[in-house]
Amino acid sequence: MQLYSNPKAALNSAQQFILYEQKKSEQATGEFSWLLSAITLASKHIAMYVRRVGLTNASDATGTKNVHGETVQMMDELADKVLIDSMGFNADVAIISSEENEEPVILRESGGKYVIFFDPLDGSSNLDVGVSVGTIFSIMEKPPGVDDPRKVVLQPGTRQVAAGYIIYGSSTVLVFSTGDGVHMFTLDPYVGDYLLSHRDLKMPDSGKYYSINEGNAESFSPGYQNWLSWLKSEEAGPYSSRYIGSLVADFHRTLIKGGIFVYPETAKSPEGKLRLMYEANPIGFIAEQAGGVATSGKQRIMDIQPTSLHQRTPLIVGSKKDVANILKYLEESE
Ligand code: P6P
């Protein structure tokens, strides 16, 4: 049997792809290709540890809690350190901010062009049960003439120049956009590089999967309750429920197959659970670049003007028709 291989992919590593894309724009200086290569190198280190988590103490608790009061695992700290170290010595990176650090990591008091936001290992509580986890990144440029780190990091998602994630699942997949479509690369462990598997990925206009933690349903507002009832009716169906509990995995399925992911306000998380700067914004950037929609239920995610670095937001993201349906119920119940 002929061994399947995608010869075109072999010619398109993520680095080559970025360099080729950057050549298309005169003002490109190759800075982004460096940033991307730093992130992809770090992700290969992280993938190596994630793939062996049962053989190490990587999923053990460190005994500390992060800024959200969540238990920090060894793997969370390792991923955070690997990412900061990989970006740290690049002259263009001014500030790095991650879920694991209450304050932004200031690499350069002045100078430096980019601000990077990370969720180093989203969904890490699933590590010990073999569920996909991921690294999410968002890249913004420093506003000209602003050096105060507190102001520099509090920019709306529309200021993103690039965003993406790496999902450590059945394969290790890199998805990113620099504002010119969404592209997907699969790590070929034999080649040791990310090879192009989808160029200019588009999210279907609608899908049959809905993804929401119905364990919180009691505390959903009437709009969400009414939407869920409609969703399960003959009129709407058939929808299938898929909820992994790992944002990157639930979103990646939505990106590829369409449908909707919802994390609304709940009794436990009255502002929503997901973080704006390093979860909702980058996921929203990718969704919109692929033709999807990302909203808080009240406004476009990327228009939200942050007031604090680790602030949370409700997140509704997915196919335009499925998001339009839920917004109709939310508006009717206002
Ligand atoms: P719940 C993981 O902890 C995470 O931050 C996201 O990856 C995921 O979508 C969400 O929380 C799951 O939260 O409350 O349903 O377990």
Side-chain angles (χ1 to χ4, degrees), residues 239-265:
Y239 275 92
S240 290
S241 171
R242 291 283 186 282
Y243 192 76
I244 300 169
S246 187
L247 172 63
V248 177
D250 280 317
F251 175 72
H252 191 62
R253 179 198 56 251
T254 306
L255 174 66
I256 307 286
K257 295 189 179 287
I260 190 168
F261 170 86
V262 184
Y263 205 111
E265 300 88 337

Side-chain angles (χ1 to χ4, degrees), residues 39-234:
I39 292 173
T40 51
L41 178 63
S43 72
K44 292 176 195 172
H45 280 278
I46 295 168
M48 176 181 68
Y49 287 104
V50 165
R51 302 256 172 259
R52 300 175 59 248
V53 79
L55 306 173
T56 67
N57 62 349
S59 63
D60 290 0
T62 58
T64 60
K65 293 203 181 286
N66 66 16
V67 63
H68 309 285
E70 295 159 342
T71 301
V72 176
Q73 298 179 89
M74 299 286 278
M75 196 61 224
D76 291 311
E77 277 187 350
L78 181 137
D80 188 54
K81 182 169 176 4
V82 162
L83 286 159
I84 290 176
D85 289 353
S86 71
M87 311 295 287
F89 59 90
N90 180 288
D92 295 315
V93 179
I95 296 175
I96 292 182
S97 178
S98 102
E99 179 187 58
E100 302 308 329
N101 301 291
E102 183 153 6
E103 297 302 325
V105 177
I106 315 294
L107 299 174
R108 281 158 195 84
E109 286 294 338
S110 60
K113 181 176 174 184
Y114 296 107
V115 187
I116 323 275
F117 302 86
F118 284 114
D119 184 351
L121 204 64
D122 173 71
S124 57
S125 55
N126 293 305
L127 268 175
D128 52 355
V129 293
V131 168
S132 302
V133 294
T135 296
I136 310 174
F137 61 90
S138 166
I139 300 176
M140 295 188 185
E141 287 183 353
K142 271 176 71 175
V146 178
D147 277 327
D148 175 352
R150 284 172 297 283
K151 292 200 178 83
V152 166
V153 295
L154 297 181
Q155 300 180 72
T158 45
R159 291 275 302 159
Q160 293 176 99
V161 292
Y165 57 83
I166 296 96
I167 180 168
Y168 311 102
S170 47
S171 57
T172 302
V173 175
L174 163 68
V175 174
F176 74 78
S177 173
T178 58
D180 186 19
V182 174
H183 311 294
M184 194 161 92
F185 299 78
T186 301
L187 180 62
D188 182 327
Y190 302 102
V191 173
D193 208 347
Y194 285 99
L195 303 182
L196 182 67
S197 42
H198 279 78
R199 176 196 290 271
D200 202 15
L201 200 62
K202 290 299 174 199
M203 188 187 291
D205 281 350
S206 65
K208 67 170 190 168
Y209 294 120
Y210 74 99
S211 186
I212 185 170
N213 183 346
E214 294 192 62
N216 300 317
E218 278 296 298
S219 63
F220 291 163
S221 68
Y224 288 104
Q225 306 264 8
N226 298 338
W227 166 72
L228 263 179
S229 307
W230 166 79
L231 197 76
K232 297 173 180 175
S233 68
E234 283 288 306

Side-chain angles (χ1 to χ4, degrees), residues 18 30-39 86-90 93:
I18 275 288
E31 289 153 351
F32 185 69
S33 49
W34 192 99
L35 289 181
L36 187 92
S37 62
I39 292 173
S86 71
M87 311 295 287
F89 59 90
N90 180 288
V93 179

